[in-house]
Amino acid sequence: MADVTVVINGRTLTVPDNLTVIEACEKAGIEIPALCHHPRLGESIGACRVCVVEVEGARNLQPACVTKVRDGMVIKTSSDRVKTARKFNLALLLSEHPNDCMTCEANGRCEFQDLIYKYDVEPIFGYGTKEGLIDRSSPAIVRDLSKCVKCQRCVRVCSEIQGVNIYSMVERGYRTYPGTPFDMPVYETDCIGCGQCAAFCPTGAIVENSSVKVVLEELEKKEKILVVQTAPSVRVAIGEEFGYAPGTISTGQLVAALRRLGFDYVFDTNFGADLTIMEEGSEFLERLEKGDLEDLPMFTSCCPGWVNLVEKAYPELRTRLSSAKSPQGMLSALVKTYFAEKLGVKPEDIFHVSIMPCTAKKDEALRKQLMVNGVPAVDVVLTTRELGKLIRMKKIPFANLPEEEYDAPLGISTGAAVLFGVTGGVMEAALRTAYELKTGKTLPKIVFEEVRGLKGVREAEIDLDGKKIKIAVVHGTANARNLVEKILRREVKYHFVEVMACPGGCIGGGGQPYSRDPEILRKRAEAIYTIDERMVLRKSHENPAIKKLYEEYLEHPLSHKAHELLHTYYEDRSRKKRLAVK
């Protein structure tokens, strides 16, 4: 790779010769509008033609996202000719777009809306209609193809990063749209509900299945006890909804905002994460001692997208998943039992909201396995984005809020628990506890660098009281599928594998704030590690509230009571099974 000299809008710049024009401009801080291009996707496809630029010597305008820089290139990104072409291309797209921005879930963060305003665009042939397919079959996402601008981001993220391949472009010309196989409702396909398509969509064509109005109604009625829990990675991302720098830790303000919304109790999903480690770690040690992990490993079960993938694509691995519920599932079960009993109320008298970075958690909350005494353990799941919208709707000044603490006892947690928010965190938290439970010795080093980082697959070997334990950590569903295939072919062997469906784990969940920052995952991950470092207690088994819970209610890890409340089972939802049921 060599450097080349280019001139952009009169500025002479030296850039690597493997960059495209749009990448060179991004490095130089020069904005070029684009709908199909996204910094976190692979090689661009030049589909939208909104990023056209003028290159000296070229007869036609060039798409900046697919045009490579070359030495001596002279580029104009905002000439009259360029602006006219962009405005015309946007007008054509707007002529197919419905004029319903005021009621659209993407209103205020829509990239297409921003460009229409910036270039003062009017539709050439009038606005589009609502005749496109609206698919509400999934608890996780809603698809409204009348708002599609044919950028293909959803197709690319689903195939390139997630490897699920739900969408493909069908039809031709202006009729083109990203369709599912045979135009099936998305929930009937192999979709895992990860929501990455919604996270990358520049319009409101794919959004989370919003429950904001449901929660708003309950907050205003005040007929039930209102309980809320917040996931680890929400605290390092919610600030982005209010203009904070990526990676800002906003835990105290998050708690304060939830109290001002009207919640009676604000609990921390991290408590559930500590409890998950106690149960999952104990399960791992039990399986290890029984020799159950010599052929195939135990897999983590806290990621609902991963669980959906197993049930839909690898049902033969259901028994290899840990039976432990996710932190959301465990804490929710306790809210509707342990906590309800302490208050002296019925489970149905509690309205329980879960704030998650993940659209697939909406799907998880509806599982019949997670019901408690015939009622849902979680009544509603809101994503980080939805919470941001709710706070703005209630005009709560997030930036000016004081820092407040979670409510006890279900708000007390350790540094190990917050690590659940980033890839490798579940494994690191489990190792901190499993090592000390197994050996009775204090860990010589609390940080397991081997499982940290954003590399797609990480492997390590841990000495557990003389036994060599092989572990693996993988994030991003495409990476997970590749690893699973190798495991099934017996090409690689592990005892314990952590899988997170989304890139970076929960910090990159499909319900997190929208971002075009290519470093967004690193920044959020660093914030998670900072919280862990600042905690006094950093091992789940040291959490005094967890110890008290077992003494008062659960007896011990893997007890009969613990199995009833904190463990689950998985179903075969493969295509073959689904067709057989039909």
Side-chain angles (χ1 to χ4, degrees):
M1 182 177 66
D3 287 342
V4 296
T5 300
V6 296
V7 179
I8 305 177
N9 298 340
R11 289 173 54 190
T12 302
L13 303 168
T14 301
V15 298
D17 65 357
N18 64 333
L19 298 185
T20 60
V21 170
I22 200 168
E23 289 169 339
C25 287
E26 285 170 350
K27 282 186 174 294
I30 299 169
E31 182 188 3
I32 293 182
L35 291 172
C36 62
H37 169 75
H38 194 286
R40 287 175 52 206
L41 291 174
E43 190 172 331
S44 295
I45 56 174
C48 70
R49 285 310 199 258
V50 173
C51 68
V52 290
V53 295
E54 194 171 349
V55 177
E56 190 175 280
R59 185 177 64 178
N60 299 322
L61 297 178
Q62 303 296 306
C65 65
V66 294
T67 303
K68 293 285 186 181
V69 294
R70 62 176 185 274
D71 197 45
M73 181 180 273
V74 178
I75 304 160
K76 294 179 182 177
T77 69
S78 55
S79 66
D80 289 342
R81 184 186 177 195
V82 166
K83 290 179 181 176
T84 300
R86 285 179 187 158
K87 186 170 182 175
F88 181 75
N89 288 339
L90 288 167
L92 289 174
L93 290 171
L94 186 59
S95 295
E96 295 182 338
H97 207 81
N99 185 20
D100 62 351
C101 292
M102 292 184 71
T103 57
C104 179
E105 287 296 331
N107 186 27
R109 66 88 186 154
C110 175
E111 295 177 43
F112 185 54
Q113 184 184 45
D114 290 343
L115 291 176
I116 296 301
Y117 179 80
K118 177 179 179 178
Y119 288 94
D120 195 22
V121 179
E122 294 288 338
I124 296 176
F125 307 111
Y127 288 100
T129 66
K130 293 286 290 181
E131 293 176 359
L133 170 70
I134 299 180
D135 181 359
R136 300 183 186 275
S137 64
S138 169
I141 60 171
V142 174
R143 299 166 64 238
D144 182 352
L145 296 183
S146 69
K147 299 173 183 176
C148 178
V149 291
K150 306 170 182 33
C151 69
Q152 304 184 41
R153 284 192 200 171
C154 59
V155 177
R156 295 172 61 206
V157 71
C158 193
S159 60
E160 294 174 15
I161 294 178
Q162 295 302 78
V164 185
N165 298 297
I166 298 301
Y167 306 119
S168 60
M169 298 305 288
V170 296
E171 295 288 358
R172 290 173 178 264
Y174 73 91
R175 293 188 179 91
T176 305
Y177 67 95
T180 60
F182 306 105
D183 278 331
M184 288 190 294
V186 71
Y187 198 58
E188 295 180 16
T189 69
D190 285 341
C191 174
I192 62 173
C194 69
Q196 290 300 312
C197 53
F200 278 78
C201 179
T203 69
I206 307 179
V207 294
E208 65 272 16
N209 197 334
S210 178
S211 299
V212 169
K213 292 176 183 176
V214 175
V215 174
L216 187 61
E217 184 177 350
E218 290 293 333
L219 289 170
E220 291 175 347
K221 284 194 303 187
K222 267 290 189 179
E223 293 176 352
K224 296 186 177 184
I225 297 167
L226 302 171
V227 177
V228 64
Q229 62 167 297
T230 69
S233 62
V234 174
R235 68 205 68 199
V236 301
I238 185 65
E240 295 167 35
E241 287 287 314
F242 303 97
Y244 287 24
T248 300
I249 300 168
S250 308
T251 312
Q253 289 158 304
L254 169 62
V255 174
L258 290 166
R259 289 212 176 95
R260 280 148 186 78
L261 282 171
F263 286 101
D264 300 305
Y265 297 94
V266 183
F267 293 142
D268 196 348
T269 312
N270 285 6
F271 181 93
D274 278 331
L275 193 57
T276 297
I277 288 303
M278 295 303 296
E279 293 295 322
E280 189 173 75
S282 298
E283 180 187 2
F284 170 70
L285 291 175
E286 183 178 84
R287 284 188 171 198
L288 186 67
E289 289 170 6
K290 289 180 177 178
D292 183 48
L293 308 178
E294 294 308 310
D295 182 33
L296 290 172
M298 187 177 94
F299 292 93
T300 56
S301 57
C302 56
C303 172
W306 159 238
V307 170
N308 287 341
L309 182 70
V310 170
E311 290 186 331
K312 288 188 169 187
Y314 303 101
E316 69 273 25
L317 290 179
R318 284 174 296 152
T319 59
R320 309 314 302 173
L321 285 171
S322 166
S323 66
K325 289 180 181 178
S326 70
Q328 172 184 262
M330 288 198 182
L331 187 60
S332 302
L334 291 175
V335 166
K336 293 292 180 85
T337 55
Y338 174 71
F339 185 65
E341 290 169 22
K342 278 189 171 292
L343 293 182
V345 300
K346 298 176 182 178
E348 53 266 34
D349 293 332
I350 295 175
F351 185 76
H352 182 203
V353 178
S354 178
I355 312 298
M356 294 286 136
C358 171
T359 54
K361 286 292 181 184
K362 292 174 177 282
D363 184 19
E364 178 186 275
L366 296 177
R367 285 176 169 264
K368 63 180 184 292
Q369 300 98 309
L370 268 62
M371 301 277 281
V372 175
N373 299 324
V375 299
V378 180
D379 294 289
V380 170
V381 173
L382 294 183
T383 63
T384 312
R385 289 196 298 268
E386 288 174 276
L387 177 61
K389 179 176 289 188
L390 184 59
I391 292 170
R392 288 191 294 272
M393 286 175 69
K394 298 294 286 185
K395 295 181 170 51
I396 294 171
F398 190 88
N400 298 327
L401 293 176
E403 294 194 358
E404 297 182 6
E405 297 291 331
Y406 287 100
D407 291 309
L410 305 183
I412 300 170
S413 63
T414 70
V418 78
L419 292 177
F420 271 61
V422 65
T423 173
V426 178
M427 181 64 72
E428 182 167 352
L431 291 174
R432 289 181 186 182
T433 288
Y435 179 91
E436 295 197 358
L437 291 181
K438 175 68 174 174
T439 66
K441 303 172 186 174
T442 302
L443 269 172
K445 186 179 71 167
I446 197 166
V447 173
F448 287 83
E449 294 288 354
E450 304 95 322
V451 299
R452 292 192 173 189
L454 294 173
K455 184 181 176 184
V457 180
R458 282 99 70 208
E459 300 172 312
E461 189 172 88
I462 307 297
D463 189 323
L464 197 62
D465 202 24
K467 183 173 178 63
K468 299 295 184 183
I469 303 299
K470 294 182 179 179
I471 60 173
V473 169
V474 59
H475 66 108
T477 309
N479 293 326
R481 295 191 80 140
N482 289 336
L483 185 65
V484 167
E485 295 291 345
K486 289 181 179 179
I487 290 171
L488 290 174
R489 292 194 299 265
R490 300 334 192 246
E491 293 175 9
V492 291
K493 176 175 167 38
Y494 308 104
H495 294 94
F496 197 11
V497 179
E498 179 207 297
V499 183
M500 292 289 176
C502 291
C506 301
I507 53 170
Q512 292 282 59
Y514 295 100
S515 177
R516 290 178 61 90
D517 184 348
E519 295 295 312
I520 190 69
L521 298 181
R522 179 187 59 78
K523 293 172 182 176
R524 291 174 183 166
E526 287 175 354
I528 290 286
Y529 294 136
T530 297
I531 297 174
D532 170 45
E533 290 166 6
R534 292 175 180 174
M535 298 291 282
V536 176
L537 298 175
R538 300 180 67 185
K539 304 167 189 172
S540 296
H541 56 286
E542 294 179 346
N543 185 335
I546 293 289
K547 292 178 181 179
K548 187 175 181 181
L549 176 68
Y550 278 111
E551 291 170 3
E552 289 183 353
Y553 200 68
L554 297 175
E555 299 176 7
H556 57 81
L558 305 183
S559 68
H560 178 71
K561 184 84 169 179
H563 267 289
E564 278 187 336
L565 289 179
L566 309 180
H567 291 258
T568 187
Y569 63 92
Y570 311 99
E571 297 182 321
D572 181 351
R573 293 195 290 153
S574 63
R575 195 174 308 153
K576 182 179 179 181
K577 183 74 172 181
R578 296 198 301 268
L579 291 173
V581 171
K582 285 186 177 181

